[in-house]
Amino acid sequence: MARRKQIYEGKAKILFEGPEPGTIIQYFKDDTTAFNNQKHDILEGKGVLNNRISEFVMTGLERIGVATHFIKRVNMREQLVRQVEIIPLEVVVRNYAAGSICKRLGIEDGAALPRSIIEFYYKDDKLGDPIVSEEHITAFNWANPQEIDDMMSQALRINDYLAGLFAGVGIKLVDFKIEFGRQYEGDMMRLIVADEISPDSCRLWDLETGDIMDKDRFRKDLGNVIDGYREVARRLGVLRENGNAGSKGPVLVSDNDEK
Ligand code: UDP
């Protein structure tokens, strides 16, 4: 069998050429990094969980009319996605203060924000992904004003959808990061959601206990990182208790549900 052509290897994923022009195979690795690659570990099973969780979320977004790059999951670690031209920005939506905004603006960890806040970061590891304003984005041609408006309105819709989805399974959506790509179809171009949406890119806290169920468990050396990811998958209904994946929809979390 011919070896697949690798297009790109990132910190947590590998992209291979897809079976048809305009498609890509996205492979989820177990590698976990933080603090701009200074901290690295292999968390066994993380890639499998993120593949499932991202599939579930992207499929849900498609259902409410948000276009994404997701086409289908092909196996435990891979999904078929549309090829896009990635916009070099990380779009972060925050509902509660955590992480960098606490340090930058002196806000208490966990404080409710007056409204959902959208931030843009320029994707450049060498620079440590600096926060940028719309002025920088348009001046340096990373995106035009219309694309910025589009990303902002899509980000808010995604936030509404995700916040509701997670609240329904007893999880507070503190913040998350998404990426957009340009998809060309003949003369037409549209912005679609790319990359992944998973506990690697969201802050997810248990609504009742405040337990952290996302990558902060790794960043802050809290241990049991995979247990947090697995619990998110279980509650979303993409993972049964016995570990067999089978998408039956979200699992409502009752007061006396096992934690
Ligand atoms: N995030 C991400 N990739 C990055 C930086 C941030 O997925 O390269 C996510 C992070 O998991 C969190 C949100 O974006 O859900 C906001 O992150 P923040 O700016 O607070 O940065 P951090 O404190 O994680 O460095």
Side-chain angles (χ1 to χ4, degrees), residues 68-102:
T68 78
H69 73 162
F70 182 81
I71 302 172
K72 66 171 183 180
R73 188 173 57 78
V74 285
N75 58 44
M76 295 285 276
R77 286 187 183 270
E78 296 178 329
Q79 39 186 249
L80 181 68
V81 300
R82 294 180 182 88
Q83 185 165 28
V84 294
E85 178 186 288
I86 282 283
I87 294 191
L89 296 170
E90 299 195 332
V91 182
V92 169
V93 183
R94 302 181 187 272
N95 299 307
Y96 297 86
S100 67
I101 195 174
C102 296

